[in-house]
Amino acid sequence: MSVAKGQNCSINFLRFLFTFGICFMHLVCQVISPYIAYPLNYGNFAAPSYAVELFFIMAGFFLFFNKKPLEEYISNRIIRLWPLLVFSTIIAGILRALHISGMSLKFDDILNCLFLQGTGLMQGGATNGPAWFVGVLFWVSVIYYYCKRVLGKKSFIALMIVMAGIGLIVFGTTGKANPFEGVRGFILPAWGGGGISMMMLRGFTAIGIGCILGKFQEIFAGSHAAQTLQSVSGSKKLFTALEVIFFVGLCAVLLGGSLMNIYSSYLLAMGLFLIVFFLFFNNLGYFSSKVLNRKVFNLLGAYSYAIYIMQNVVFYIVDYCLKTYENLIPHTNLVITISMILFIVIGIISYYLVNFIVEKTVQLYNFIQRDNILKETTL
């Protein structure tokens, strides 16, 4: 089974669903919470933030199968992540100039555009707080990819097991109600008076788990177990039931996990996700292979990063509207509904606009290069 090629509709469905969930959580916990009588906050609604771990796991899974040279891998990561990251910062600056956002651009935003938010080398937060995920994803992926290139597979997986184990132990012994809260939660001293933040440890742990899942998938695919399992009478129905049960269970934990012990719900969410991802990736049941096997989910999956990185723009707009038009405050459900639509609309528009700018920039660069070569050959 090829991992590097093709699209998996059910996995892209999960990408979009988790992105939507994270945006919803940030909206109700950060933006709307100060305006409503019974606010939701991270103390009683933190579990949807585990979806970030699930994104890290997916990144680690596909990192394991990536065979490109290190330089190409890094350049692809930059091309994939950087344009929208910078674009979100520019839009935040425009909103500030229009007095829609009260947050001014500052030096931290430059560091954010260098993928440093959330790493511990950057103190405080930039105008795009959720972008810490991008900085951690970039640097941890590059570090792990370098290790994968220089180590044998056995040594690399051994390293992943150690890193994942250390992370899970630290999370379990922090003694905090929410050990994942805040980029200022430093755990190890580092250069510049900063440190290795809890966000970096989250990345090292979850991406490591994703790499381990990739190794398990490699063994599973190499043994031809998928064909054997699907040839057994009734197996498709059994796996369909498992897909639905574990998927519903995962959604329940992400929505209501804050009612449980935070560490237990964290482990439960990751465990359920590993099962769901494995079942969906291999299309073992009808739910993944039939119900979710729709091209629209591949399209929504492609928009997911743009929706995630542009969510701060929606936050500024909603906060401005709630401050300016107080008659909106009693209509919380309407505000949430419109906000969720805005997440999708602004994300999709940004996706196509940034892709257009990047495409034209590349075309201009190639034209200049060809023009320079032509001039050199005619001299």
Side-chain angles (χ1 to χ4, degrees):
M1 179 178 295
S2 175
V3 175
K5 297 180 180 180
Q7 290 279 344
N8 186 302
C9 298
S10 54
I11 299 303
N12 280 313
F13 165 77
L14 293 177
R15 284 196 177 101
F16 176 76
L17 180 67
F18 296 153
T19 300
F20 210 57
I22 291 171
C23 291
F24 176 80
M25 184 225 20
H26 285 154
L27 177 73
V28 299
C29 290
Q30 291 181 330
V31 182
I32 295 179
S33 178
Y35 297 97
I36 60 179
Y38 301 100
L40 291 166
N41 54 55
Y42 288 116
N44 56 31
F45 200 60
S49 66
Y50 302 160
V52 173
E53 258 71 20
L54 310 186
F55 277 119
F56 281 140
I57 290 174
M58 286 190 279
F61 178 87
F62 291 107
L63 181 153
F64 179 81
F65 291 100
N66 198 314
K67 297 180 181 179
K68 296 176 181 176
L70 178 63
E71 296 80 5
E72 185 179 351
Y73 177 81
I74 294 174
S75 63
N76 286 347
R77 289 275 85 188
I78 293 173
I79 293 171
R80 159 74 172 150
L81 300 173
W82 191 76
L84 274 162
L85 177 62
V86 174
F87 182 75
S88 71
T89 303
I90 293 172
I91 296 300
I94 293 173
L95 293 179
R96 169 60 183 171
L98 297 173
H99 304 290
I100 294 175
S101 167
M103 183 175 288
S104 301
L105 295 181
K106 49 189 177 180
F107 183 68
D108 280 348
D109 290 293
I110 297 176
L111 298 179
N112 182 29
C113 291
L114 297 176
F115 301 118
L116 292 179
Q117 186 176 347
T119 62
L121 297 178
M122 171 182 166
Q123 303 285 357
T127 57
N128 192 346
W132 72 263
F133 164 79
V134 180
V136 172
L137 174 66
F138 177 79
W139 289 111
V140 174
S141 295
V142 169
I143 291 170
Y144 275 171
Y145 199 78
Y146 173 79
C147 292
K148 186 172 80 77
R149 298 290 296 179
V150 300
L151 298 174
K153 276 194 174 182
K154 290 183 179 179
S155 299
F156 177 68
I157 290 299
L159 175 64
M160 296 301 97
I161 293 172
V162 170
M163 292 302 299
I166 291 173
L168 293 175
I169 291 171
V170 171
F171 292 154
T173 57
T174 54
K176 297 180 181 180
N178 183 2
F180 318 118
E181 185 176 345
V183 295
R184 297 178 180 85
F186 300 113
I187 56 173
L188 295 173
W191 169 82
I196 298 178
S197 70
M198 189 64 76
M199 280 25 185
M200 282 293 280
L201 189 60
R202 289 174 70 178
F204 277 118
T205 302
I207 293 178
I209 291 173
C211 291
I212 296 169
L213 179 62
K215 179 61 179 178
F216 180 80
Q217 172 63 33
E218 182 181 64
I219 295 171
F220 176 77
S223 66
H224 303 290
Q227 294 86 339
T228 304
L229 287 173
Q230 302 224 20
S231 65
V232 177
S233 177
S235 64
K236 201 73 173 178
K237 294 180 180 179
L238 172 61
F239 283 121
T240 301
L242 293 176
E243 285 180 346
V244 173
I245 291 170
F246 285 115
F247 174 72
V248 171
L250 174 61
C251 292
V253 172
L254 291 178
L255 289 174
S258 299
L259 301 175
M260 306 167 52
N261 174 277
I262 199 75
Y263 184 60
S264 299
S265 60
Y266 170 75
L267 293 178
L268 181 58
M270 286 208 297
L272 288 171
F273 173 72
L274 292 174
I275 298 172
V276 169
F277 183 91
F278 178 77
L279 292 170
F280 279 19
F281 182 80
N282 292 287
N283 292 318
L284 293 178
Y286 291 119
F287 185 53
S288 61
S289 62
K290 299 293 184 182
V291 177
L292 299 180
N293 189 23
R294 300 287 184 270
K295 290 183 179 180
V296 64
F297 293 130
N298 283 338
L299 196 59
L300 292 175
Y303 298 146
S304 294
Y305 174 59
I307 294 171
Y308 178 90
I309 205 66
M310 296 302 294
Q311 62 182 291
N312 69 308
V313 172
V314 179
F315 298 157
Y316 292 142
I317 294 172
V318 172
D319 185 67
Y320 173 80
C321 291
L322 290 174
K323 285 180 180 177
T324 307
Y325 308 102
E326 294 184 357
N327 57 326
L328 288 174
I329 295 176
H331 305 286
T332 306
N333 292 335
L334 176 63
V335 172
I336 291 175
T337 301
I338 294 174
S339 300
M340 299 308 289
I341 294 172
L342 281 177
F343 284 132
I344 298 175
V345 171
I346 291 176
I348 292 175
I349 292 173
S350 300
Y351 172 85
Y352 284 110
L353 180 58
V354 171
N355 278 353
F356 175 80
I357 294 172
V358 170
E359 181 181 343
K360 293 303 178 183
T361 302
V362 171
Q363 289 177 358
L364 178 61
Y365 174 79
N366 291 336
F367 175 78
I368 294 173
Q369 289 291 97
R370 288 195 300 268
D371 187 57
N372 289 337
I373 293 173
L374 181 62
K375 287 180 180 178
E376 290 176 0
T377 56
T378 56
L379 289 176

